Amino acid sequence: SLPFELGVFFVQEHAKKVFGAPASRVKGRVRDMKGTFSGGTAASMRAIFEAAAKDLSLVALMKNPFLLTPGFEGPKQPPGNKPVFDEDLKSWNAPFVMANINTRNVHRSNMLMGFPYGKDLVYDEMMVTGPGEQGEAMAKKVMAANNKLSGTDVPKPGEGPSKEERESGLYDLLFVGIAADGRQARIAVRGDRDPGYGSTSKMISECAICLREAPEVKGGMWTPGAAMGNRLIKRLVDHAGITFTVEQ
């Protein structure tokens, strides 16, 4: 979740400079991603679905975008559960398999920092699949592939990407902040390893070092971005092969 949490943080910092205020609407979009799931991740996802099938009360929790913001519930959020055409990007978008986790962390980060993005933040994450009929077909293909992750035709626990796959992986994320008058602020977050393992291992290490150098951060259930913000972004840029760039 960290590249997404910090992507929202970075685009909001940019929006404040461009708009003079935070963006109440932010879109997180995966433009490119190269990496594979491990068997452990697939098993975790399958366990979640199996638990929800046995206890329907868990379904409501899983659907709640403000699950991690106890005592606060913001505006209705986009479901992101089917292919849609995005007018702002002029492209079809497909559901993103990690969105249900990442979006919750973004809202928690906003709450922990005292709502610098506003209490009316609307945020979603999807994958960009391109324009026209080809883009629509790809969006449907991505959705079908997502649905298979909770099945049995996936890697077994202990199996996962090879060293070569981890080192040749990458991701390119776009964040679009939209002002009330329609103006846009756009930034990109890019990583030079596969998102699940190669890049994550570096992010975990840099978070630990950064936290060690932040004695003012007290105990509690923090998100990394809320705890370390720009200080962590600098470490990731300097040491973890991640870039944060303004595009518009």
Side-chain angles (χ1 to χ4, degrees):
S1 297
L2 186 53
F4 293 88
E5 182 198 352
L6 289 179
V8 175
F9 177 91
F10 194 74
V11 79
Q12 290 287 20
E13 292 292 292
H14 179 48
K16 291 172 188 176
K17 297 175 184 176
V18 176
F19 308 151
S24 60
R25 177 71 172 105
V26 177
K27 297 182 177 184
R29 296 294 182 264
V30 180
R31 292 191 292 199
D32 193 11
M33 185 170 284
K34 182 181 178 184
T36 60
F37 278 93
S38 71
T41 299
S44 296
M45 294 179 67
R46 187 164 57 250
I48 291 172
F49 287 116
E50 290 174 353
K54 295 176 182 177
D55 183 355
L56 295 181
S57 67
L58 295 177
V59 176
L61 289 177
M62 292 167 61
K63 289 183 176 180
N64 181 7
F66 299 99
L67 177 63
L68 302 182
T69 59
F72 171 76
E73 185 169 336
K76 185 177 180 180
Q77 304 290 306
N81 58 359
K82 62 181 180 180
V84 296
F85 186 78
D86 190 325
E87 289 290 347
D88 291 309
L89 301 180
K90 305 302 180 188
S91 172
W92 280 91
N93 290 176
F96 178 45
V97 69
M98 296 300 295
N100 278 353
I101 295 173
N102 298 342
T103 53
R104 277 65 172 163
N105 286 336
V106 166
H107 287 299
R108 180 168 180 79
S109 184
N110 187 31
M111 182 191 73
L112 290 173
M113 292 187 291
F115 299 101
Y117 312 154
K119 293 186 176 182
D120 58 347
L121 175 67
V122 175
Y123 174 66
D124 69 330
E125 294 175 0
M126 300 193 80
M127 297 189 70
V128 177
T129 59
E133 293 181 358
Q134 186 174 355
E136 183 179 11
M138 180 57 70
K140 292 178 179 178
K141 184 177 180 180
V142 169
M143 184 173 178
N146 289 346
N147 292 336
K148 291 181 180 179
L149 290 174
S150 59
T152 57
D153 187 20
V154 293
K156 296 180 175 60
E159 298 178 344
S162 65
K163 183 175 185 291
E164 291 73 23
E165 288 173 323
R166 296 193 302 272
E167 293 184 350
S168 64
L170 56 85
Y171 51 93
D172 177 7
L173 313 176
L174 171 69
F175 294 86
V176 183
I178 305 173
D181 60 7
R183 286 180 296 162
Q184 295 185 11
R186 298 189 179 198
I187 68 96
V189 178
R190 298 182 177 92
D192 67 352
R193 293 289 188 275
D194 84 299
Y197 305 93
S199 190
T200 293
S201 60
K202 293 193 289 184
M203 287 188 281
I204 291 173
S205 300
E206 294 306 325
C207 281
I209 296 171
C210 192
L211 188 59
R212 182 176 180 272
E213 298 173 352
E216 73 279 4
V217 178
K218 305 304 179 183
M221 298 297 290
W222 287 93
T223 60
M228 296 171 277
N230 281 313
R231 185 185 306 181
L232 180 56
I233 287 177
K234 186 177 187 307
R235 285 209 65 90
L236 296 178
V237 170
D238 291 345
H239 305 290
I242 300 175
T243 61
F244 294 77
T245 55
V246 172
E247 294 196 348
Q248 178 180 322

